């Protein structure tokens, strides 16, 4: 997921210019390749589960994402490179955004749909942790444009 934000090109280097190591020579079996794909999907699922606010279910996030006009415009921007004016803030971060199973992610955090932001903020205020602690806690798991304001 971290490499998705980079635009890179893989270039073949002949053996004379490469330093051989055991990992570059090891062949991956078909079963190991399938396991790596499952592991990658599992890793992303763990990230999503860690970032999910405890007062909101994954289903609620997915449903609210599908109803959020701005997030749907972001999806169109990411997949078709058609960016509406109402998602300019998202466009600036397009290299850090991706969709996974209907949820918009920014880096390793969930982009919270507008309908769920109050619930997430109320949950973050629980226990009166103070504004600095609350914002720090939110930043580790969720994001939306201008979430630091107010």
């Amino acid at each position: 997921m971290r490499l998705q934000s980079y635009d890179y090109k893989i270039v073949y280097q002949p053996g004379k210019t490469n330093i051989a190591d055991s990992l570059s020579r090891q062949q991956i079996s078909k079963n190991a390749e399938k396991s790596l794909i499952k592991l990658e999907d599992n890793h992303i699922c763990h990230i999503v589960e860690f970032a999910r606010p405890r007062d909101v279910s994954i289903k609620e996030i997915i449903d609210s994402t599908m109803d959020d006009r701005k997030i749907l415009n972001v999806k169109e921007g990411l997949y078709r490179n058609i960016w509406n004016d109402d998602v300019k803030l998202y466009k600036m971060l397009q290299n850090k955004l991706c969709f996974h199973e209907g949820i918009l992610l920014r880096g390793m955090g969930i982009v919270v749909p507008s309908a769920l932001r109050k619930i997430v903020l109320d949950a973050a205020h629980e226990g009166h942790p103070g504004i600095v602690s609350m914002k720090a806690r939110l930043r580790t798991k969720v994001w939306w444009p201008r979430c630091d304001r107010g």
Side-chain angles (χ1 to χ4, degrees), residues 29-45:
S29 70
K30 297 240 185 244
N31 289 339
E33 197 172 304
K34 288 177 185 175
S35 295
L36 286 174
I37 291 169
K38 286 179 185 176
L39 181 63
E40 180 181 300
D41 284 345
N42 251 350
H43 179 68
I44 295 171
C45 289

Side-chain angles (χ1 to χ4, degrees), residues 12-13 23 32 36 46 57 66 69 73 77 82 89 93 96 99 111 117 139:
Y12 169 77
Q13 294 288 330
L23 293 176
L36 286 174
H46 285 295
S57 71
M66 293 300 119
R69 174 65 16 217
N73 287 342
I82 301 170
L89 290 173
L93 300 167
K96 295 180 180 183
F99 275 88
V111 177
R117 291 176 188 166
R139 275 189 220 106

Side-chain angles (χ1 to χ4, degrees), residues 8-130:
Y8 57 89
K9 181 179 178 183
I10 298 174
V11 178
Y12 169 77
Q13 294 288 330
K16 295 175 193 171
T17 61
N18 272 334
I19 298 172
D21 61 47
S22 60
L23 293 176
S24 67
R25 302 291 183 206
Q26 186 176 6
Q27 291 187 0
I28 297 177
S29 70
K30 297 240 185 244
N31 289 339
E33 197 172 304
K34 288 177 185 175
S35 295
L36 286 174
I37 291 169
K38 286 179 185 176
L39 181 63
E40 180 181 300
D41 284 345
N42 251 350
H43 179 68
I44 295 171
C45 289
H46 285 295
I47 289 170
V48 170
E49 188 55 39
F50 169 76
R52 181 184 62 82
R54 63 188 159 119
D55 291 355
V56 182
S57 71
I58 294 290
K59 183 177 178 354
E60 286 176 297
I61 295 171
I62 293 170
D63 291 345
S64 293
T65 297
M66 293 300 119
D67 292 338
D68 192 300
R69 174 65 16 217
K70 283 190 179 183
I71 292 181
L72 293 175
N73 287 342
V74 170
K75 190 174 191 175
E76 186 174 8
L78 290 174
Y79 290 135
R80 300 167 130 196
N81 202 24
I82 301 170
W83 292 93
N84 291 347
D85 289 338
D86 65 336
V87 291
K88 285 181 183 178
L89 290 173
Y90 291 92
K91 185 180 185 328
M92 293 187 312
L93 300 167
Q94 66 182 317
N95 292 332
K96 295 180 180 183
L97 299 172
C98 70
F99 275 88
H100 176 71
E101 296 183 1
I103 298 173
L104 179 60
L105 301 173
R106 177 185 180 230
M108 295 178 65
I110 293 174
V111 177
V112 179
S114 57
L116 299 177
R117 291 176 188 166
K118 182 171 178 7
I119 296 169
V120 172
L121 279 174
D122 289 346
H125 277 100
E126 253 179 43
H128 307 288

